[in-house]
Amino acid sequence: MTTLPEMPCAEFVERVTDHLEGALSIEDEQRLQDHLAACAKCAHYLQQLRDTLELTGELREDDVTPEMRGELRDVFARWRAERS
Amino acid sequence: MSALRPARDGGEPDGSERRLLDQLRSGDERAFDRLVSLHSPGLLRVARTFVSTQAVAEEVVQETWLGVLRGIDRFEGRSSLRTWIYRILTNRARTRGVVEHRTVPFATLAARELGEGFTAVDPERFLPADHDRWPHHWAAPPRRWDTSPEAALSHAETLRLVQTEIAALPPAQRAVLTMRDLEGLDSDEVCAILELTAGNQRVLLHRGRSKIRSALEAHLAP
Ligand SMILES: [Zn+2]
């Protein structure tokens, strides 16, 4: 078995999204895992990206304003009238 | 959590989707209300990435729902209902953008962004290629974020920063990141809605996410 070329930090930070997306080749995934096991700095970088994703997800607000809801009820009523 | 809320990385189950469609086709207003609650907030945020004002975005969302109702009999379920609704939205938003004279087709925007050079982290922060021991390894590693109560930014301020940074992203990155990381659509859906290849979708997502992380580091660990 040949050893895979090492993945340096500068490459890690560009591959990390493909890693999170499960889009790396088997070899590159192995290189990334090997690097992650050896490099606390990149492990920290990955954690920061995960924190970033979590913060972004918190921006999701699920309210529809009453005005908009009212207007959409009108849209629905118009459609139902068109249909019958 | 409501049973109707889609999983973060998937659509609604087929059975409940079919039931919802039947109810809608029979003119059930409550079914429409549920669908509106489920998708309108996300539709609004995505619309906002295509048009200039919140008011226009709201009109686009209304037009989208009218388009959904008018097209509901033709919907065959080849994509998930959610993907189909978002495709109607992006089509309306595009038409609207043309009227507003601000559109460049999405494919052009995406191509432009993909053609630009990019590094997730300032290359100066890595050791040079000719370093005898650690070429391309961190010289200035990621700085620890202070999220304690004494931190420079409160949690609310941090969220506002993330929001501002997302708004400042180039349009294709903003659209992809909004759909993926705010609305929780999966990559297949985003590719279908925005007509992107899987690879290009990942590149745009990567760039957007990396920029938000950098901004957080700059503010939380100055
Ligand atoms: Zn590293």
Side-chain angles (χ1 to χ4, degrees):
Chain A
M1 182 132 176
T2 53
T3 39
L4 298 165
E6 197 218 347
M7 179 178 288
C9 306
E11 184 181 344
F12 178 93
V13 300
E14 301 300 346
R15 298 290 202 129
V16 65
T17 303
D18 286 351
H19 159 70
L20 291 172
E21 295 283 289
L24 287 175
S25 67
I26 293 167
E27 287 78 18
D28 283 333
E29 182 61 30
Q30 189 58 55
R31 293 172 63 228
L32 185 137
Q33 293 290 348
D34 290 347
H35 183 77
L36 201 53
C39 181
K41 294 163 185 169
C42 284
H44 185 201
Y45 185 89
L46 177 59
Q47 185 54 50
Q48 289 191 337
L49 265 188
R50 292 190 194 280
D51 291 349
T52 303
L53 295 188
E54 201 163 301
L55 287 165
T56 305
E58 280 184 49
L59 293 174
R60 177 176 174 154
E61 284 167 26
D62 288 339
D63 295 337
V64 180
T65 62
E67 294 76 29
M68 179 127 181
R69 196 174 286 281
E71 279 162 10
L72 289 173
R73 290 219 169 99
D74 294 345
V75 166
F76 188 81
R78 244 184 298 147
W79 169 73
R80 207 155 51 176
E82 268 172 28
R83 230 168 125 85
S84 53
Chain B
M1 186 181 279
S2 135
L4 257 174
R5 178 198 269 291
R8 263 196 101 68
D9 57 354
E12 291 140 282
D14 279 350
S16 77
E17 189 164 295
R18 216 169 307 124
R19 205 159 40 233
L20 192 59
L21 281 168
D22 288 343
Q23 289 166 337
L24 265 183
R25 285 173 179 145
S26 69
D28 181 343
E29 183 166 18
R30 296 225 314 276
F32 181 67
D33 257 3
R34 287 211 306 278
L35 203 59
V36 160
S37 302
L38 189 62
H39 295 303
S40 293
L43 290 170
L44 254 180
R45 273 187 292 269
V46 171
R48 196 66 186 79
T49 71
F50 287 93
V51 298
S52 57
T53 66
Q54 186 68 16
V56 175
E58 285 179 12
E59 284 174 36
V60 167
V61 171
Q62 277 190 44
E63 288 168 15
T64 300
W65 284 117
L66 188 60
V68 166
L69 292 169
R70 285 184 173 152
I72 200 79
D73 292 326
R74 290 190 307 274
F75 175 70
E76 289 169 357
R78 267 187 299 230
S79 64
S80 76
L81 184 58
R82 177 162 75 171
T83 300
W84 181 67
I85 294 172
Y86 271 91
R87 285 192 65 118
I88 294 175
L89 176 88
T90 53
N91 283 326
R92 301 282 145 156
R94 237 167 258 168
T95 313
R96 222 18 215 271
V98 172
V99 177
E100 286 190 301
H101 300 291
R102 77 193 281 269
T103 29
V104 178
F106 186 82
T108 309
L109 292 172
R112 203 180 279 165
E113 291 174 36
L114 290 161
E116 283 166 7
F118 176 82
T119 53
V121 172
D122 178 359
E124 297 283 311
R125 294 182 62 178
F126 297 103
L127 296 167
D130 61 1
H131 190 273
D132 53 5
R133 208 123 186 232
W134 301 110
H136 303 300
H137 284 61
W138 289 103
R143 298 184 296 274
R144 209 150 279 285
W145 292 349
D146 183 3
T147 49
S148 69
E150 299 80 45
L153 294 189
S154 69
H155 188 68
E157 287 167 331
T158 305
L159 289 178
R160 262 198 301 281
L161 170 69
V162 173
Q163 195 159 33
T164 310
E165 291 296 325
I166 293 173
L169 289 174
Q173 290 166 46
R174 191 169 67 227
V176 169
L177 189 122
T178 300
M179 288 186 190
R180 290 295 311 278
D181 293 346
L182 258 106
E183 305 317 323
L185 272 62
D186 65 33
S187 55
D188 289 346
E189 289 182 284
V190 174
C191 289
I193 293 163
L194 296 176
E195 294 171 15
L196 285 167
T197 64
N200 285 344
Q201 189 258 171
R202 279 198 305 276
V203 172
L204 293 167
L205 183 65
H206 175 66
R207 294 183 177 192
R209 285 178 177 176
S210 303
K211 287 178 193 172
I212 310 293
R213 190 216 64 90
S214 292
L216 283 166
E217 188 188 23
H219 287 82
L220 292 176

